[in-house]
């Protein structure tokens, strides 16, 4: 009966109820988007780093991966030392370099990764095969498009360009063995992956037995943080970073995003609360006489409060459901815009829908709807019955 | 009056402040009403009739004195108990009907029964029975806005009887009705009383007062005359 009465009361002023519900929906959508924004980058970044099971990155001491052009020397020894650390299952060395493809009208510059194709975690092969021989490379679609080349074609590649002498340290003709999507680069980046030894040799003596980064995979049951600390102990010339550490570092750099999301989320919640409070208060004030009559014929205060709070909850719930759809839609649209920023890896999302976070945020909104209804409801239920009836009769 | 009174007021006072001045709405009122009686309280506007009715109906509290219904001092009951008492022992009829506009006639009757935890099937059956009693069974699914004033008041009377009260209180029940529909409502009160319900009405309506078996006259918050309606005896 209470639910029925609450539903009928809301239907009495349908357009007002719908407008209030829509207001709450917009507020819910905003709250949801802010929650998605606050956690989206962190979670998608963590997901990206953890892809293929690589849980630790070891880069030259004091640097972050590919933060500088610094490299680690005696890479083979370092790789062996890291491989001996308890819990480590795979060590994938990576050497970054700038390559120049000389087959076009003007040299085309691209970012190249020297990898061990059997254990690498930097790219996903889309077509063809890995660069299993020293004279092969896989290229991103952006590079292939710029060169107007296809898998199977041959290209002249040079590294170590000296701008004063206009010469290159090393040149080679390489066969394009495959097309690849580079996980940590954007779709627009011109990139290629070669065998590690190829990049080292083409870079000359300065690059011999050197790497930019070790990507390290640990056993599922292993303590990645303990392995990270052990790597730094065993190979003091590297700084090892676990996923949690990398995420914390990224969060530190993106703290403005989080603060902005928190403030806007809180504002959304307050706006939703005020909307429901206003709606319920107006509705209660219009029905003071009815409520007094209900009390007079023996309806308990608790029943009156329940009924009015139910009205607030119904508006909040309906707003939350519509807000969920609206929020997800808005987030997708905004995400597509933000992901268009140059240089962002494809796998990075600004807005990430996580059912648990969404449920928590929308539950908070519904709770605020309950809180919004309690005060006006209790105030109405506590009015002196006789005096209210007398005033209503006069009115 | 034989046996124990159903309603007993003793030295009843109700004062309240109005615009800073003390108003003595009810002064030293004492009377008894026996089970099955039909009492009309009459007097000029502002003489304290409605306030007295509210005190008897446990929706207001006396400043001094007592009002007992069926042996319970209702003025001393805490809010929750007073609410429960009203629900189960007293039926109210108001001048302006005060039906809930969003509910149908039947649902208006079911509301107090639902509050009293009457099972759904039983309350539906009883609501239809009561609507039949007041001659409105065909209008069960109509909302108050679709009913005439007289029909609304008959639904309000049926609602007041929903939980089989000991006492029916009515405040100017014909005040908003024309003479013909007012007469219908008067006949209905008479029937309710003949069916065993104690009725107390507050009214300006001479016809309604004349239908009662006893009339109390009030003036300035006091009972100035308490007389049986001899022609009905």
């Amino acid at each position: 009966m209470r639910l029925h009465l609450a539903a009928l009361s809301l239907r009495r002023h349908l357009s007002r109820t719908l407008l209030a519900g829509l207001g709450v929906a917009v507020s819910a959508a905003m709250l949801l988007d802010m929650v998605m924004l606050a956690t989206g980058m962190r979670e998608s970044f963590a997901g990206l780093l953890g892809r293929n099971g690589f849980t630790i990155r070891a880069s030259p001491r004091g640097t972050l991966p590919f933060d500088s052009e610094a490299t680690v020397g005696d890479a083979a020894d370092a790789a062996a030392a890291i491989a001996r650390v308890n819990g480590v299952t795979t060590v994938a060395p990576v050497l970054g370099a700038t390559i120049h493809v000389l087959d076009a009208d003007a040299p085309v510059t691209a970012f190249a990764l020297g990898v061990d194709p059997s254990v690498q975690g930097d790219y996903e092969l889309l077509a063809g095969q890995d660069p299993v021989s020293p004279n092969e490379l896989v290229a991103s679609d952006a590079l292939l498009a710029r060169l107007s080349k296809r898998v199977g074609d041959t290209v002249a590649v040079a590294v170590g360009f000296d701008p004063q002498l206009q010469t290159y340290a090393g040149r080679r003709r390489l066969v394009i063995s495959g097309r690849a999507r580079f996980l940590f680069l954007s779709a627009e980046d011109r990139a290629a992956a070669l065998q590690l030894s190829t990049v080292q040799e083409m870079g000359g003596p300065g690059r011999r037995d050197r790497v930019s980064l070790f990507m390290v995979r640990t056993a599922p049951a292993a303590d990645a943080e303990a392995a990270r600390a052990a790597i730094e102990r065993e190979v003091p010339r590297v700084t090892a970073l676990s996923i949690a550490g990398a995420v914390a570092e990224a969060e530190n750099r993106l703290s403005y995003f989080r603060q902005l999301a928190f403030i806007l989320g809180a504002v959304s919640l307050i706006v939703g609360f005020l909307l429901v409070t206003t709606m319920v208060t107006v509705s209660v004030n219009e029905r003071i006489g009815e409520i007094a009559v209900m009390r007079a014929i023996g309806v308990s205060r608790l029943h009156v409060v329940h009924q009015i709070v139910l009205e607030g909850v119904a508006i909040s719930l309906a707003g939350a459901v519509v807000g969920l759809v609206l929020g997800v839609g808005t987030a997708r649209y905004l995400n597509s815009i933000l992901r268009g920023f140059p240089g962002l890896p494809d796998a990075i999302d600004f807005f990430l829908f996580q059912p648990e976070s969404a449920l928590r945020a929308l539950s908070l909104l519904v709770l605020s709807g309950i809180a919004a209804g309690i005060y006006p409801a209790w105030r109405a239920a506590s009015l002196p019955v006789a005096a209210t009836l007398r005033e209503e009769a006069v009115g | 009056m034989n046996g124990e009174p159903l309603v007993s007021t003793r030295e009843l006072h109700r004062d309240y402040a109005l615009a800073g001045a003390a108003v003595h709405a009810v002064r030293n009122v004492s009377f008894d009403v026996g089970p099955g009686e039909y009492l009309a309280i009459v007097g000029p506007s502002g003489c304290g009739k409605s306030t007295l009715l509210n005190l008897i109906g446990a929706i207001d509290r006396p400043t001094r004195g007592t009002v007992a219904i069926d042996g319970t001092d209702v003025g001393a009951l805490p809010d929750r108990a007073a609410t429960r008492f009203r629900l189960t022992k007293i039926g109210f009829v108001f001048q302006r009907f005060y039906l809930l506009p969003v509910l149908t006639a039947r649902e208006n009757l079911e509301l107090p029964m639902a509050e009293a935890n009457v099972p759904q099937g039983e309350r539906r059956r009883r609501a239809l029975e009561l609507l039949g009693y007041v001659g409105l069974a065909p209008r069960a699914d109509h909302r108050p806005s679709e009913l005439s004033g007289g029909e609304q008041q008959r639904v309000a009377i049926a609602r007041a009887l929903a939980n089989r009260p000991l006492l029916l209180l009515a405040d100017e029940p014909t005040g908003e009705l024309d003479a013909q529909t007012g007469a219908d409502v008067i006949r209905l009160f008479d029937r309710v009383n003949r069916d065993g319900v104690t009725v107390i009405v507050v009214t300006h309506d001479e016809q309604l007062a004349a239908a009662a078996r006893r009339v109390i006259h009030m003036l300035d918050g006091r009972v100035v005359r308490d007389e049986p309606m001899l022609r009905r005896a």
Side-chain angles (χ1 to χ4, degrees):
Chain A
M1 194 75 183
R2 290 171 203 189
L3 200 61
H4 180 55
L5 199 50
L8 290 173
S9 297
L10 287 172
R11 271 178 49 190
R12 193 195 296 193
H13 298 287
L14 191 59
S15 54
R16 188 173 72 193
T17 302
L18 288 175
L19 282 173
L22 193 61
V24 175
V26 170
S27 177
M30 179 96 164
L31 176 64
L32 189 63
D33 282 352
M34 290 307 111
V35 169
M36 289 162 79
L37 181 63
T39 56
M41 287 196 76
R42 182 188 63 208
E43 295 299 324
S44 64
F45 185 54
L48 175 63
L49 291 179
R51 215 151 165 172
N52 301 325
F54 289 100
T55 50
I56 299 169
R57 269 82 179 159
S59 52
R61 185 89 194 152
T63 68
L64 291 171
F66 290 114
D67 215 17
S68 70
E69 292 192 354
T71 53
V72 180
D74 296 327
D77 287 348
I82 292 170
R84 284 194 297 272
V85 168
N86 195 23
V88 170
T89 58
T90 310
V91 180
V94 183
L95 176 61
T98 300
I99 60 170
H100 307 276
V101 184
L102 307 175
D103 283 17
D105 300 341
V108 174
T109 304
F111 180 63
L113 293 170
V115 298
D116 175 351
S118 64
V119 292
Q120 65 81 27
D122 285 285
Y123 65 83
E124 283 176 352
L125 205 59
L126 301 174
Q129 62 173 36
D130 289 312
V132 290
S133 95
N135 292 325
E136 289 179 338
L137 63 78
V138 292
S140 69
D141 282 341
L143 179 58
L144 291 175
R146 177 66 184 82
L147 296 171
S148 302
K149 297 286 185 187
R150 291 186 299 187
V151 174
D153 290 347
T154 302
V155 287
V157 175
V159 298
F161 178 66
D162 185 330
Q164 287 188 326
L165 300 174
Q166 296 285 305
T167 57
Y168 297 97
R171 289 181 187 224
R172 240 182 230 203
R173 288 202 72 77
L174 301 174
V175 177
I176 301 170
S177 64
R179 276 174 54 225
R181 188 162 72 90
F182 289 80
L183 301 177
F184 302 98
L185 301 175
S186 75
E188 294 76 30
D189 281 333
R190 295 195 287 264
L194 299 74
Q195 283 208 349
L196 175 63
S197 58
T198 306
V199 177
Q200 286 173 334
E201 285 165 18
M202 288 176 75
R207 294 288 170 182
R208 193 151 301 149
D209 200 19
R210 300 193 78 86
V211 298
S212 307
L213 170 74
F214 293 104
M215 291 172 68
V216 180
R217 204 180 266 150
T218 50
D223 179 350
E225 192 52 39
R228 184 203 66 76
I231 288 169
E232 285 194 341
R233 275 198 310 275
E234 293 297 321
V235 189
R237 59 185 182 281
V238 302
T239 292
L241 197 61
S242 64
I243 290 177
V247 168
E249 185 65 34
E251 273 206 292
N252 196 29
R253 294 183 181 197
L254 295 169
S255 61
Y256 288 118
F257 260 105
R258 251 199 353 271
Q259 286 172 18
L260 181 74
F262 177 78
I263 291 167
L264 291 179
V267 168
S268 308
L269 201 59
I270 292 168
V271 168
F273 174 83
L274 291 177
L275 265 172
V276 176
T277 307
T278 306
M279 167 75 185
V280 172
T281 303
V282 168
S283 171
V284 163
N285 286 345
E286 283 175 352
R287 289 183 290 153
I288 284 291
E290 284 173 33
I291 291 167
V293 170
M294 285 171 70
R295 295 279 294 121
I297 65 172
V299 174
S300 69
R301 271 185 189 162
L302 202 59
H303 175 141
V304 172
V305 170
H306 274 176
Q307 191 209 313
I308 294 169
V309 168
L310 270 174
E311 292 173 27
V313 171
I315 294 171
S316 303
L317 263 179
V321 171
V322 176
L324 179 68
V325 176
L326 201 62
V328 169
T330 313
R332 280 190 180 168
Y333 176 66
L334 291 174
N335 204 40
S336 69
I337 293 174
L338 292 172
R339 283 180 64 179
F341 282 8
L344 277 178
D346 258 7
I348 288 290
D349 284 303
F350 285 81
F351 295 84
L352 190 67
F353 180 77
Q354 293 173 295
E356 274 183 30
S357 299
L359 189 66
R360 268 200 301 273
L362 296 180
S363 299
L364 202 60
L365 187 82
V366 174
L367 281 178
S368 80
I370 294 173
I374 285 177
Y375 173 68
W378 187 253
R379 197 174 60 87
S382 303
L383 284 172
V385 177
T388 307
L389 284 175
R390 193 165 48 240
E391 283 163 18
E392 285 293 309
V394 171
Chain B
M1 185 176 69
N2 299 321
E4 290 296 309
L6 179 67
V7 180
S8 178
T9 70
R10 289 291 175 272
E11 297 171 8
L12 202 57
H13 291 258
R14 180 65 173 101
D15 306 332
Y16 54 85
L18 190 66
V23 175
H24 305 290
V26 174
R27 306 180 197 209
N28 198 26
V29 169
S30 299
F31 64 84
D32 290 337
V33 180
E37 271 202 73
Y38 185 172
L39 170 70
I41 302 172
V42 299
S45 291
C47 72
K49 308 183 296 291
S50 294
T51 304
L52 177 60
L53 198 74
N54 290 341
L55 293 171
I56 295 169
I59 59 175
D60 199 0
R61 290 175 189 279
T63 311
R64 292 198 305 279
T66 60
V67 52
I69 312 283
D70 199 26
T72 301
D73 182 359
V74 295
L77 290 175
D79 181 78
R80 185 180 291 187
T83 303
R84 190 74 193 168
F85 194 88
R86 290 195 298 270
L87 180 71
T88 54
K89 308 278 185 179
I90 300 173
F92 278 96
V93 178
F94 303 96
Q95 179 176 349
R96 290 189 173 181
F97 328 132
Y98 284 141
L99 298 173
L100 295 192
V102 292
L103 299 180
T104 63
R106 177 178 56 73
E107 288 167 339
N108 264 285
L109 265 66
E110 286 188 36
L111 178 64
M113 289 191 267
E115 189 69 14
N117 298 319
V118 176
Q120 191 173 13
E122 167 66 10
R123 61 182 192 241
R124 177 162 293 206
R125 187 194 62 72
R126 207 192 297 174
L128 291 173
E129 184 183 297
L130 281 166
L131 284 169
Y133 181 79
V134 299
L136 288 173
R139 313 283 274 166
D141 293 323
H142 287 71
R143 295 192 196 284
S145 58
E146 297 163 338
L147 301 174
S148 70
E151 288 173 329
Q152 286 187 57
Q153 194 59 299
R154 279 147 67 193
V155 173
I157 292 168
R159 178 181 67 183
L161 299 172
N163 284 327
R164 301 192 175 104
L166 296 171
L167 179 62
L168 182 67
L169 303 177
D171 191 355
E172 301 283 7
T174 57
E176 300 260 321
L177 306 176
D178 60 46
Q180 180 56 51
T181 49
D184 291 342
V185 167
I186 290 168
R187 276 194 291 278
L188 187 54
F189 274 113
D190 192 55
R191 185 177 162 200
V192 168
N193 177 248
R194 286 181 192 284
D195 287 339
V197 179
T198 306
V199 178
I200 300 178
V201 294
V202 160
T203 186
H204 281 108
D205 185 339
E206 289 178 6
Q207 282 187 315
L208 178 57
R213 322 290 190 257
R214 177 183 166 197
V215 178
I216 283 179
H217 295 262
M218 288 187 73
L219 187 65
D220 293 336
R222 289 192 173 87
V223 172
V224 293
R225 203 161 69 238
D226 184 346
E227 59 182 5
M229 292 299 287
L230 294 174
R231 65 183 177 79
R232 298 286 307 255

